Amino acid sequence: MSKDSKEMKVQAAYGAEQIQVLEGLEPVRKRPGMYIGSTGPRGLHHLVYEVVDNAVDEALAGHCDQILVVLGNDGSVSVTDNGRGIPTDVHPRTGRSALETVLTVLHAGGKFGSGGYKVSGGLHGVGVSVVNALSEWVEVTVRREGKLHSQRFERGNPIGNLNSETQPKSEKNQTGTTVCFKPDIQIFTTGIEFDYSTLSSRLRELAYLNGGVKIVFRDERTASLNSQKESYEEIYFYEGGIKEYVEYMNSEKDSLHPEIIYVNSEKDSVQVEAALQWCVDAYSDSILGFANNIRTVDGGTHIEGLKTVLTRTLNTFARKRGKRKDGDNNLAGENIREGLTVVLSVKVPDPEFEGQTKTKLGNTEVRGIVDSLVGEALGKYLEFNPSVIDLILDKAIQAFNAAEAARRARELVRRKSVLESSTLPGKLADCSSRDPSQSEIYIVEGDSAGGSAKQGRDRKFQAILPLRGKILNIEKTDDSKIYKNTEIQALITALGLGIKGEEFELKNLRYHRVVIMTDADVDGAHIRTLLLTFFYRYQKQLVEGGYIYIACPPLYKVERGKKHKYCYNEADLQKTLQSFGEKANYTIQRFKGLGEMMPKQLWETTMDPTTRTMKRVEIEDALEADRIFTILMGDKVAPRREFIETHSVELDMASLDI
């Protein structure tokens, strides 16, 4: 057969029968990542959020004020609300019950059109059906119109018909829905164990955002799973809503003004709620934005409107109160927002989110509405509280002056072109690659570790930046000191970071993997914490974007004859010793510092992409991250002592290496 005839045969084989048609929930099981982001821990927990969001939507509609979330002993999760209950009558289009339709048909729900919900968080209408598709089983119970309706599903398929019976007398006239599901291990191959702290953070957040709604979170798993001898329960109930949220965020800080500035207004069916408070001992801002209870981690038009109105309003007051003269420059937005904690929550009837993950609000009209409503309320408050505006302006002017004093040092921040590479720090051993996506930089402590790393690295894509001593604690430092510090300058310039407070420019980042590689001792841990504080407070987008990593060098090298093995923790060491047998015919080398390792050892254990282990630094909960950094690195000693004492009981003190 000729080459041409072979090609014709291949082409002819591609016809209608090769077009795959996925029906029902098949596409979800085929490509789960398209619907929940991933099949790892993040996607697993997203299943719970989808079901809880439905319950919260009932609360937004004014039909629910209690939600119960239970982690079952069998690996299941149940979510119960006291809302109206999913409708159970026959759907005119599908010919099946509305409940079965919602559970088995994508894009079916009460959030499309005008009848079901005015605003909602689960906007794509795939929530509970996706949960059904990706679960081993789902059991739904509906209490509605004096009846108890229930149905079971397995891997998306209904098992039998809807079962209906009269509600027992003890539950007479109660309404609501219970969705109980067990994630499918065939989908979540990395495991189906839920993390209590991850879920509790989101549930607490939802309770703050929906003041007056009580959320009960109960863990009924065995002691082996949750370290509790019996079930553990927390109740989240905040009548003060986001005002209490800001109080919680600032609980370890000294507030500039005790009263939280609060805005709650509506315009053109868009509800805007904001709570603001400035703090004395903070040099960065903490802005949490939400749209229909969804955390908008990538910002959006509501955040843009807030920043605009803050800058304009406070500059107007600065002129009015004589803080800025005619010839003076306006205060910059980052000066005004220094030390500010704000929670901004908008409820939009027809929101436009960028991307399936719903992390950025795109409605252009929301920008002007937030600007108008916050501007009006903030202006009124500050007119009647002149002492508060003076304190805020004094702090902003102090920040402005510090920034002006550091102007020349800040210019070093600008990313240098290849032709200007001589301006990079002299101690930086750069890589030859000019493709940031292929390049990585190791930040190491001291010249000794730096020497081993420089000799052991792959020069094509690995750069080394040694730091001397411990860098500044940025939590306690203003801008002028930051930009004058030699080690901070080296970090900013080597990485190509922007100016603190400006939008992060990915194109300027010189390496897409920034690896912190410190010694496995107390000093190393301290330096690692200082570096993480710097990245989080200086340019948080680096952490949020997943560009920061922590190297995992071995603690031990065990040798017996010609055999050797590197061990990365105590458990690994004990396992290795057992495998070598019970005879004292092996030697154990303990690596106290990276400088003790030969360059070849450092390469094969810690830097070789084919064998190394690295931890990617991620922020699941920005609120908790912010609070922990304040506790550990802030000025107040008492909260830090309490934190250490509380969490020290979780450590194995016998194996603590000091």
Side-chain angles (χ1 to χ4, degrees), residues 578-609:
Q578 288 178 3
S579 69
F580 277 3
E582 297 182 0
K583 299 178 180 178
N585 58 347
Y586 47 73
T587 59
I588 302 176
Q589 181 182 1
R590 169 70 162 97
F591 298 113
K592 289 273 185 179
L594 297 174
E596 295 180 10
M597 301 179 73
M598 299 295 289
K600 184 180 178 183
Q601 286 181 318
L602 194 55
W603 164 255
E604 65 184 24
T605 63
T606 316
M607 302 178 72
D608 182 355

Side-chain angles (χ1 to χ4, degrees), residues 521-540:
D521 58 12
V522 174
D523 279 342
H526 190 198
I527 291 170
R528 185 165 63 245
T529 305
L530 288 167
L531 284 167
L532 287 172
T533 304
F534 167 74
F535 290 127
Y536 184 77
R537 291 300 192 204
Y538 186 85
Q539 214 145 61
K540 191 189 297 183

Side-chain angles (χ1 to χ4, degrees), residues 311-497:
T311 304
R312 186 182 68 248
T313 302
L314 268 71
N315 271 300
T316 299
F317 273 94
R319 303 282 177 188
K320 190 183 292 187
R321 299 194 62 78
K323 301 283 186 178
R324 307 301 287 168
K325 307 300 182 185
D326 289 342
D328 293 340
N329 291 328
N330 273 343
L331 299 170
E334 58 263 29
N335 307 142
I336 287 169
R337 296 192 303 271
E338 184 177 284
L340 171 66
T341 298
V342 55
V343 175
L344 173 65
S345 176
V346 296
K347 305 286 172 56
V348 187
D350 297 302
E352 299 167 5
F353 290 100
E354 295 186 10
Q356 176 73 18
T357 52
K358 302 182 285 192
T359 55
K360 187 173 184 179
L361 185 67
N363 298 65
T364 54
E365 74 277 9
V366 174
R367 184 187 295 108
I369 292 173
V370 170
D371 186 320
S372 172
L373 296 180
V374 173
E376 183 181 353
L378 184 62
K380 283 182 181 177
Y381 177 87
L382 296 177
E383 284 283 4
F384 288 100
N385 294 273
S387 60
V388 173
I389 184 60
D390 284 344
L391 288 170
I392 294 170
L393 289 173
D394 287 345
K395 182 171 177 60
I397 291 167
Q398 185 181 9
F400 177 87
N401 293 336
E404 287 295 299
R407 181 185 294 276
R408 294 178 67 184
R410 285 166 71 124
E411 288 306 311
L412 292 173
V413 168
R414 304 299 183 189
R415 183 175 185 262
K416 305 300 185 285
S417 69
V418 175
L419 295 174
E420 297 172 308
S421 59
S422 60
T423 58
L424 291 170
K427 54 189 170 183
L428 170 69
D430 209 353
C431 56
S432 58
S433 172
R434 289 295 174 261
D435 181 356
S437 66
Q438 301 299 316
S439 305
E440 58 191 35
I441 183 170
Y442 283 81
I443 302 170
V444 300
E445 49 175 314
D447 294 332
S448 177
S452 293
K454 286 176 184 178
Q455 293 178 56
R457 67 177 172 141
D458 185 328
R459 295 169 183 265
K460 292 179 185 176
F461 67 97
Q462 291 179 322
I464 309 296
L465 180 65
L467 297 178
R468 287 181 184 156
K470 294 172 180 172
I471 70 164
L472 274 178
N473 178 3
I474 200 172
E475 189 77 16
K476 300 180 180 179
T477 310
D478 63 33
D479 285 2
S480 60
K481 291 180 182 176
I482 289 172
Y483 293 111
K484 290 176 183 176
N485 182 268
T486 305
E487 303 305 308
I488 294 286
Q489 278 186 22
L491 268 174
I492 292 172
T493 310
L495 271 59
L497 300 183

Side-chain angles (χ1 to χ4, degrees), residues 117-133:
Y117 296 90
K118 183 180 176 183
V119 294
S120 64
L123 288 163
H124 295 296
V126 297
V128 75
S129 59
V130 166
V131 174
N132 189 23

Side-chain angles (χ1 to χ4, degrees), residues 79-95:
V79 179
T80 302
D81 66 64
N82 65 344
R84 291 169 291 184
I86 299 174
T88 57
D89 49 329
V90 175
H91 192 278
R93 181 172 294 182
T94 64

Side-chain angles (χ1 to χ4, degrees), residues 65-304:
D65 61 4
Q66 291 188 41
I67 301 169
L68 171 65
V69 181
V70 180
L71 299 181
N73 204 24
D74 58 353
S76 68
V77 181
S78 71
V79 179
T80 302
D81 66 64
N82 65 344
R84 291 169 291 184
I86 299 174
T88 57
D89 49 329
V90 175
H91 192 278
R93 181 172 294 182
T94 64
R96 293 174 283 168
S97 72
L99 186 147
E100 185 175 322
T101 301
V102 168
L103 267 290
T104 58
V105 179
L106 287 174
H107 304 289
K111 300 163 191 177
F112 302 97
S114 58
Y117 296 90
K118 183 180 176 183
V119 294
S120 64
L123 288 163
H124 295 296
V126 297
V128 75
S129 59
V130 166
V131 174
N132 189 23
L134 303 179
S135 295
E136 180 183 329
W137 55 262
V138 173
E139 291 181 351
V140 183
T141 304
V142 173
R143 297 169 299 284
R144 184 181 171 96
E145 297 169 347
K147 290 192 174 182
L148 200 64
H149 309 274
S150 61
Q151 191 165 11
R152 180 180 172 92
F153 303 81
E154 293 181 2
R155 295 193 168 94
N157 300 308
I159 304 301
N161 297 319
L162 180 70
N163 179 56
S164 301
E165 57 187 56
T166 304
Q167 275 183 274
K169 290 183 179 179
S170 59
E171 295 182 6
K172 192 174 182 181
N173 297 326
Q174 288 186 13
T175 61
T177 304
T178 298
V179 177
C180 187
F181 67 95
K182 184 177 182 180
D184 192 349
I185 193 65
Q186 294 178 7
I187 301 292
F188 301 96
T189 53
T190 57
I192 57 172
E193 183 178 327
F194 291 99
D195 179 66
Y196 186 90
S197 61
T198 299
L199 292 175
S200 68
S201 295
R202 174 59 179 159
L203 296 177
R204 183 186 296 110
E205 185 175 80
L206 285 170
Y208 278 125
L209 291 169
N210 299 277
V213 177
K214 179 191 288 187
I215 300 180
V216 180
F217 185 30
R218 185 182 304 149
D219 192 346
E220 294 183 345
R221 295 176 296 181
T222 57
S224 62
L225 285 176
N226 69 355
S227 304
Q228 301 289 336
K229 292 182 179 179
E230 52 190 38
S231 65
Y232 180 72
E233 182 176 288
E234 286 185 324
I235 297 175
Y236 313 119
F237 179 67
Y238 310 106
E239 288 188 287
I242 63 171
K243 288 177 69 175
E244 288 193 49
Y245 202 172
V246 170
E247 284 177 8
Y248 176 71
M249 292 174 69
N250 288 344
S251 58
E252 313 300 342
K253 303 175 184 176
D254 292 322
S255 60
L256 197 65
H257 50 100
E259 185 181 5
I260 291 172
I261 303 170
Y262 180 65
V263 181
N264 189 0
S265 296
E266 186 174 319
K267 182 179 180 181
D268 297 336
S269 299
V270 174
Q271 183 186 342
V272 176
E273 191 181 10
L276 308 89
Q277 187 179 46
W278 276 263
C279 292
V280 177
D281 51 345
Y283 297 99
S284 58
D285 60 40
S286 296
I287 299 178
L288 290 185
F290 299 86
N292 295 13
N293 289 324
I294 302 296
R295 170 86 67 82
T296 49
V297 293
D298 292 323
T301 52
H302 57 323
I303 300 296
E304 292 165 11

